[in-house]
Amino acid sequence: MAQLLIAHGGAPTAVINASLVGAVREAQRSGKVDGILGAACGTGGILKESFMDLTGLDETALQALTASPASAIGTSRTPLEEGDYADIVRVLKKHGIGYVLLTGGNGTMDTCAKLWEACRKDGILVGGIPKTIDNDLDLTDHAPGFGSAARFAAVSMREIAADVAALPIHVCIVEYMGRNAGWIAAASALAREKAGDAPHLLLVPEVPFDEADFLKEVTRIWKQGRGVVVAVSEGIRYADGTPVAPPLFTSGRAVYFGAVSQYLSRLVIEKLGIKARCETPGILGRCCGEMASLVDRTEAESLGALAARTVLEGTGGMMAGLRRVSDEPYQCEEILIPLEGLTLHERPLPPEYLARYNVTDAFLRWCRPMIGNQLPTITQWV
């Protein structure tokens, strides 16, 4: 028998450890492995032969791990060169590793596909576990991590909106993660309980930003007297593709934008003479275990188990995924997606989910089940 190796790639999420637990439990039950290893801090850990022994984790440890945010084994954005794949294969053979699972988003699944091509001639089976708060992985209905980020967006928006309504003296710009796709900012619309509730305006990368029209809409809503709350994705762009907040730093596929909420709040102050402020949850929006969606956590664990079961049964080159069967009642079925079809293809919000400065009912029906339990109720009479 051979060992199973699990590695994480890209940014952590509130439920990535649940996927790890699913894979570990499945491997433990299978009786088909000599050991279960975790790569310390992603593919870089594989190259350094830095492994953690997960074989003997008991149920108490696994339950604690399931509820823990971030990555217990670490993750990375280590870019791999062409020659690194042959080096990884040598490391895997040296340690008797016959099965490899990579957990991550677009970049990690591209790496996963290339590693599978490098490994298959040696009989090493490679599979993928989806993970991304951005929800931009193609061919799966959604990815673990998004449901919790969406819940955080909705809860934080509802609470910020209550604060602004209680003291309606400013415009508040709330910035959510989303470089090229606006799924998380769009999810903040789930905060609404009735027409007119915040977010009053929703800005996403899929819809070009028009400064004059934005200021016109802010002015219109401001005159209603209850303050203005705007949800914005970090990567919004003008019609020519230029980011509204130019990147401060770029490293490979990793792009770190300037604070677009800060830019927009300053724009409102300077152009309209209205007090404005910005809020940027940032990393908290992806790692807040306290707001994790129970649906998201359950699906993360289940897909980790499916990915492990797939390679242990002799099939490589596949990523575990989900296909939507029904919105009401919510039901998804597990599927397997060939890695070769996932090569760095980011999925934006489709047009049918978008309206002017808003999202459609179709998006809300699709998104609502994934955030899990009912949102907190806020009592407010003003």
Side-chain angles (χ1 to χ4, degrees), residues 173 259 261-272 276:
I173 316 287
S261 56
Q262 190 175 80
Y263 173 82
L264 294 177
S265 60
R266 187 171 66 249
L267 189 67
V268 168
I269 293 169
E270 293 175 352
K271 298 289 187 178
L272 301 179

Side-chain angles (χ1 to χ4, degrees), residues 342-362:
L342 290 166
T343 307
L344 296 178
H345 186 272
E346 294 180 318
R347 180 181 64 168
L349 280 162
E352 60 268 26
Y353 283 174
L354 295 169
R356 184 171 181 263
Y357 293 117
N358 205 349
V359 290
T360 62
D361 288 342

Side-chain angles (χ1 to χ4, degrees), residues 120-159:
R120 61 195 309 173
K121 65 181 181 296
D122 291 291
I124 300 172
L125 298 171
V126 179
I129 304 172
K131 176 276 319 174
T132 172
I133 64 165
D134 292 328
N135 199 45
D136 56 357
L137 260 175
D138 201 17
L139 304 181
T140 181
D141 180 77
H142 58 278
F146 170 69
S148 295
R151 182 174 179 81
F152 181 95
V155 172
S156 61
M157 175 56 65
R158 180 170 287 190
E159 295 181 346

Side-chain angles (χ1 to χ4, degrees), residues 1-4 27-28 30-35 95-99 312:
M1 290 194 294
Q3 298 202 86
L4 168 69
Q28 289 175 334
S30 73
K32 296 180 179 180
V33 297
D34 284 328
H95 289 270
I97 296 168
Y99 312 99
L312 293 175

Side-chain angles (χ1 to χ4, degrees), residues 171-173 209 211 214-215 218 238 244-246 258-279:
V171 175
C172 185
I173 316 287
F209 178 71
E211 181 178 304
F214 167 71
L215 292 173
V218 169
Y238 295 106
V244 173
V260 69
S261 56
Q262 190 175 80
Y263 173 82
L264 294 177
S265 60
R266 187 171 66 249
L267 189 67
V268 168
I269 293 169
E270 293 175 352
K271 298 289 187 178
L272 301 179
I274 299 172
K275 181 179 179 180
R277 63 182 301 148
C278 57
E279 301 292 337

